[in-house]
Amino acid sequence: MGVLCVDCLKQAQSQARPVRSRLGFTATAGPPLATYALIAINVAVYLLGPVLLGDAFPGSWALWPDATQMDAARYIDVGTEWYRWVTAGFIHFSLLHIGMNMLALWQLGQVLEPALGRWRFVGLYAGSLLGSSAAVEIIGTGGTLTAVGGASGAIFGLLAAYGIILKRLRLPYTQILVIAAIFIGAPLVSDLIPGFGFFAGLSWQGHLGGAIAGAIIMLVMFRGVDRREKAAPPS
């Protein structure tokens, strides 16, 4: 009898419709495990990277958009390997750097992961990271050899996606625009005007690339939702 009850329960669960969030995506119940995993990976890399790689870390995992052949001969950790597009998103250069990024990731992940679903959230993060790296490599040259890394590019993709969600729900999104203007515009001004140095060292290219990639991915996801809703028979 007990076996029959278990079988009935499994059959009922298999026939149950997935719970969709207000955005139209299959929601993820429980804690945001993907967000916690991403934070754990970033923290582990920050703590273990110097132990495992010594002085070659974090330069051996960073992006070097201004590196020349002469630079590569002079600095052992300079390179243009493909994997840097990924690894650069998991390295940080100070406790403040990783602390601010992980706080932002935790805040955004708690909101976005349950609403989008775990795998959509991971895809959004990964796509934003690659978009950030692409922007650094394409427009990140400025004549100064600088190692570029950090999770902020991927986080800006999450931020842009969140802004689009707020707009779709007809909720205020001005705060998102202000944050983007500060952390993209101010570093750009720092590059253009020597001495405007409070935001110097931040990669506006990475932030911009991540934001653009995240916005595009979010719009594509919503396009899929709209198509499914149009194709669904009237209830």
Side-chain angles (χ1 to χ4, degrees), residues 68-84:
T68 63
Q69 291 184 349
M70 184 179 298
D71 296 323
R74 181 179 179 186
Y75 299 95
I76 193 172
D77 51 3
V78 173
T80 57
E81 297 86 354
W82 65 267
Y83 61 78
R84 293 173 183 264

Side-chain angles (χ1 to χ4, degrees), residues 34-47 61 90 98 102:
T35 300
Y36 296 159
L38 288 170
I39 292 174
I41 293 171
N42 277 278
V43 172
V45 170
Y46 180 74
L47 295 176
W61 281 15
F90 293 93
I98 190 172
M102 293 306 99

Side-chain angles (χ1 to χ4, degrees), residues 60-134:
S60 57
W61 281 15
L63 292 170
W64 296 79
D66 286 317
T68 63
Q69 291 184 349
M70 184 179 298
D71 296 323
R74 181 179 179 186
Y75 299 95
I76 193 172
D77 51 3
V78 173
T80 57
E81 297 86 354
W82 65 267
Y83 61 78
R84 293 173 183 264
W85 283 48
V86 177
T87 58
F90 293 93
I91 61 172
H92 294 85
F93 301 104
S94 69
L95 188 60
L96 178 63
H97 189 200
I98 190 172
M100 291 184 64
N101 280 346
M102 293 306 99
L103 176 61
L105 175 54
W106 177 69
Q107 291 175 328
L108 288 167
Q110 287 189 101
V111 177
L112 294 177
E113 184 178 340
L116 299 179
R118 188 159 295 133
W119 291 110
R120 284 188 182 86
F121 175 77
V122 172
L124 173 63
Y125 189 93
S128 300
L129 189 158
L130 293 176
S132 173
S133 295

